[in-house]
Amino acid sequence: MNVLILGSGAREHAFAWKIAKSSMCKKLLVAPGNAGTSQVGENVDIGVNDFESIKQLSLDEEIDMLIVGPEDPLVKGVFDFFQEDTDLQNITVIGPSKKGAQLEGSKEFAKQFMQKYNIPTAAYEAFTKNNLEQGYAFLDTLNAPYVLKADGLAAGKGVLILEDLEEAKKELKAMVVDAKFG
């Protein structure tokens, strides 16, 4: 089996390390990979969102399985791209569809989903620069710690846990008015 892993982080290194040990794995490619993945497979200089280059590599290397590590290509629809392309449909893609990836890609979508299906979750409301004052009022109803989450992908950096109400209000403003996380 020829395997392509998308990503360059520790998660992808762990995947590559374990997959390389399998007697079923004939060829292991990691795009773009890192120093650790280069020790167990072959790194390929292709970005995780360059779907056309990933397609060509997959065809050229007769890839049987694509494992997607980072959230970004999933949110952008790499699974769907493979499923919709007749040349790629026989490649097994490990990762959710674009629709499924919304749970990871949007904190607001995930919270609405949990509320809709009665999945226990912390108190939640979404705010923008247009309703910042409502955000302050919502914070006033909560007890510390105050958890603020940026919507969308923030590379693991979009969550703040704060003990002080005034600091939480200041950070809320920085998130929605100043686009602190993007």
Side-chain angles (χ1 to χ4, degrees), residues 107 127-129 132 147-151 154 157-160 162 168-182:
K107 309 298 186 283
F127 305 102
T128 67
K129 62 184 174 185
L132 181 60
V147 180
L148 305 178
K149 295 183 178 186
D151 192 46
K157 309 292 187 256
V159 178
L160 299 174
L162 306 159
K169 289 180 178 181
K170 180 182 139 211
E171 290 296 337
L172 176 63
K173 179 180 184 284
M175 290 172 78
V176 301
V177 174
D178 305 329
K180 178 176 183 166
F181 293 109

Coordinates of all heavy atoms in Angstrom, one line a residue, residues 107 127-129 132 147-151 154 157-160 162 168-182:
K107 N -16.1 27.2 15.7 CA -16.5 27.0 17.0 C -18.0 27.3 17.1 O -18.8 26.6 17.8 CB -15.8 27.9 18.0 CG -14.3 27.9 17.9 CD -13.7 26.6 18.3 CE -12.2 26.6 18.3 NZ -11.5 26.6 17.1
F127 N -20.6 36.6 19.3 CA -20.6 38.1 19.2 C -19.7 38.6 18.1 O -18.7 37.9 17.7 CB -20.2 38.7 20.5 CG -21.0 38.2 21.7 CD1 -20.5 37.3 22.5 CD2 -22.3 38.7 21.9 CE1 -21.2 36.8 23.6 CE2 -23.0 38.2 22.9 CZ -22.5 37.2 23.8
T128 N -20.0 39.7 17.5 CA -19.2 40.4 16.5 C -19.0 41.8 17.0 O -19.5 42.3 18.0 CB -19.9 40.5 15.2 OG1 -21.1 41.3 15.3 CG2 -20.4 39.1 14.7
K129 N -18.3 42.6 16.2 CA -18.0 44.0 16.6 C -19.4 44.8 16.6 O -19.5 45.8 17.3 CB -17.0 44.7 15.7 CG -17.4 44.7 14.2 CD -16.3 45.3 13.4 CE -16.6 45.2 11.9 NZ -15.5 45.7 11.1
L132 N -20.9 44.0 20.4 CA -19.9 43.8 21.4 C -20.5 44.1 22.8 O -20.2 43.4 23.8 CB -18.8 44.8 21.1 CG -17.6 44.7 22.2 CD1 -17.0 43.4 22.2 CD2 -16.6 45.8 21.8
V147 N -14.1 31.8 29.3 CA -13.5 31.1 28.2 C -14.0 31.8 26.9 O -15.2 31.8 26.6 CB -13.8 29.6 28.1 CG1 -13.1 28.9 26.9 CG2 -13.4 28.9 29.4
L148 N -13.0 32.4 26.2 CA -13.3 33.0 24.9 C -12.7 32.2 23.8 O -11.5 31.8 23.8 CB -12.7 34.5 24.9 CG -13.1 35.4 26.0 CD1 -12.4 36.7 25.9 CD2 -14.6 35.6 26.1
K149 N -13.5 32.0 22.7 CA -13.0 31.2 21.6 C -13.2 31.9 20.3 O -14.3 32.4 20.0 CB -13.7 29.8 21.5 CG -13.4 28.9 22.7 CD -14.1 27.6 22.6 CE -13.7 26.7 23.7 NZ -14.3 25.3 23.6
A150 N -12.2 32.0 19.5 CA -12.3 32.6 18.2 C -12.9 31.6 17.3 O -12.7 30.4 17.3 CB -10.9 33.0 17.7
D151 N -13.8 32.1 16.4 CA -14.4 31.2 15.4 C -13.4 31.0 14.3 O -12.6 31.8 14.0 CB -15.7 31.8 14.9 CG -16.5 30.8 14.1 OD1 -16.7 29.7 14.6 OD2 -17.0 31.2 13.0
A154 N -7.7 28.8 14.1 CA -6.7 29.7 14.7 C -5.5 29.0 15.1 O -4.7 29.4 16.0 CB -7.3 30.4 15.9
K157 N -4.6 28.4 18.6 CA -4.3 29.6 19.4 C -5.5 30.5 19.7 O -5.4 31.5 20.3 CB -3.2 30.5 18.7 CG -2.0 29.8 18.2 CD -1.1 29.4 19.4 CE 0.2 28.8 18.9 NZ 0.3 27.4 18.9
G158 N -6.7 30.0 19.3 CA -7.9 30.8 19.4 C -8.7 30.7 20.6 O -9.8 31.1 20.6
V159 N -8.1 30.2 21.7 CA -8.9 30.1 23.0 C -8.1 30.8 24.1 O -6.9 30.7 24.3 CB -9.0 28.6 23.4 CG1 -9.8 28.5 24.7 CG2 -9.8 27.9 22.3
L160 N -8.9 31.6 24.9 CA -8.4 32.3 26.0 C -9.2 31.9 27.2 O -10.4 31.8 27.2 CB -8.5 33.8 25.9 CG -7.7 34.4 24.7 CD1 -8.0 35.9 24.6 CD2 -6.2 34.2 24.9
L162 N -9.6 33.1 31.1 CA -9.3 34.2 31.9 C -10.0 34.2 33.2 O -11.2 33.8 33.3 CB -9.6 35.5 31.1 CG -9.0 35.6 29.7 CD1 -9.7 36.6 28.9 CD2 -7.5 36.0 29.9
A168 N -11.3 39.8 30.6 CA -12.1 39.0 29.6 C -12.8 40.0 28.6 O -12.9 39.8 27.4 CB -13.2 38.2 30.3
K169 N -13.4 41.1 29.1 CA -14.0 42.1 28.3 C -13.0 42.7 27.3 O -13.3 42.9 26.2 CB -14.7 43.1 29.1 CG -15.9 42.6 29.8 CD -16.6 43.7 30.7 CE -17.9 43.1 31.3 NZ -18.6 44.2 32.2
K170 N -11.8 43.0 27.9 CA -10.8 43.6 27.0 C -10.4 42.6 25.9 O -10.2 43.0 24.7 CB -9.6 43.9 27.9 CG -8.4 44.5 27.1 CD -7.2 44.8 28.1 CE -6.0 44.4 27.4 NZ -4.9 43.9 28.2
E171 N -10.2 41.4 26.2 CA -9.8 40.4 25.2 C -11.0 40.1 24.2 O -10.7 39.9 23.1 CB -9.4 39.1 25.9 CG -8.1 39.2 26.6 CD -6.9 39.5 25.7 OE1 -6.9 39.2 24.5 OE2 -5.9 40.0 26.2
L172 N -12.2 40.2 24.7 CA -13.3 40.0 23.8 C -13.3 41.1 22.7 O -13.4 40.8 21.5 CB -14.7 40.0 24.5 CG -15.9 39.9 23.7 CD1 -16.0 38.6 22.9 CD2 -17.2 40.1 24.5
K173 N -13.1 42.3 23.2 CA -12.9 43.4 22.2 C -11.8 43.2 21.3 O -11.9 43.4 20.0 CB -12.8 44.8 23.0 CG -12.6 46.0 22.0 CD -12.4 47.3 22.8 CE -12.4 48.5 22.0 NZ -11.1 48.6 21.2
A174 N -10.7 42.8 21.8 CA -9.5 42.5 20.9 C -9.8 41.4 19.9 O -9.4 41.5 18.7 CB -8.3 42.1 21.7
M175 N -10.6 40.4 20.2 CA -11.0 39.4 19.3 C -11.9 39.8 18.2 O -11.8 39.5 17.1 CB -11.6 38.2 20.1 CG -10.5 37.5 21.0 SD -11.2 36.2 22.1 CE -11.5 34.9 20.9
V176 N -13.0 40.5 18.6 CA -14.0 40.8 17.6 C -13.8 42.1 16.9 O -14.3 42.3 15.8 CB -15.5 40.8 18.3 CG1 -15.7 39.4 18.8 CG2 -15.7 41.8 19.3
V177 N -13.2 43.1 17.6 CA -13.0 44.4 16.9 C -11.6 44.5 16.2 O -11.5 44.9 15.1 CB -13.1 45.6 17.9 CG1 -12.8 46.9 17.3 CG2 -14.5 45.6 18.5
D178 N -10.6 44.0 16.9 CA -9.2 44.1 16.4 C -8.8 42.8 15.6 O -7.7 42.7 15.2 CB -8.3 44.4 17.5 CG -8.6 45.6 18.3 OD1 -9.2 46.5 17.7 OD2 -8.3 45.7 19.5
A179 N -9.7 41.8 15.6 CA -9.4 40.5 14.9 C -8.1 39.9 15.4 O -7.2 39.5 14.6 CB -9.4 40.7 13.4
K180 N -8.0 39.8 16.7 CA -6.8 39.3 17.3 C -6.3 37.9 16.8 O -5.1 37.7 16.6 CB -7.0 39.2 18.8 CG -5.9 38.6 19.6 CD -6.1 38.6 21.1 CE -4.9 38.1 21.8 NZ -5.0 38.3 23.3
F181 N -7.2 37.1 16.4 CA -6.9 35.7 15.9 C -7.1 35.6 14.4 O -7.2 34.5 13.9 CB -7.6 34.7 16.7 CG -7.2 34.6 18.1 CD1 -8.0 35.0 19.1 CD2 -5.9 34.1 18.5 CE1 -7.6 34.9 20.5 CE2 -5.5 34.0 19.8 CZ -6.4 34.4 20.8
G182 N -7.2 36.7 13.7 CA -7.3 36.6 12.3 C -8.5 37.2 11.8 O -9.0 37.4 10.8

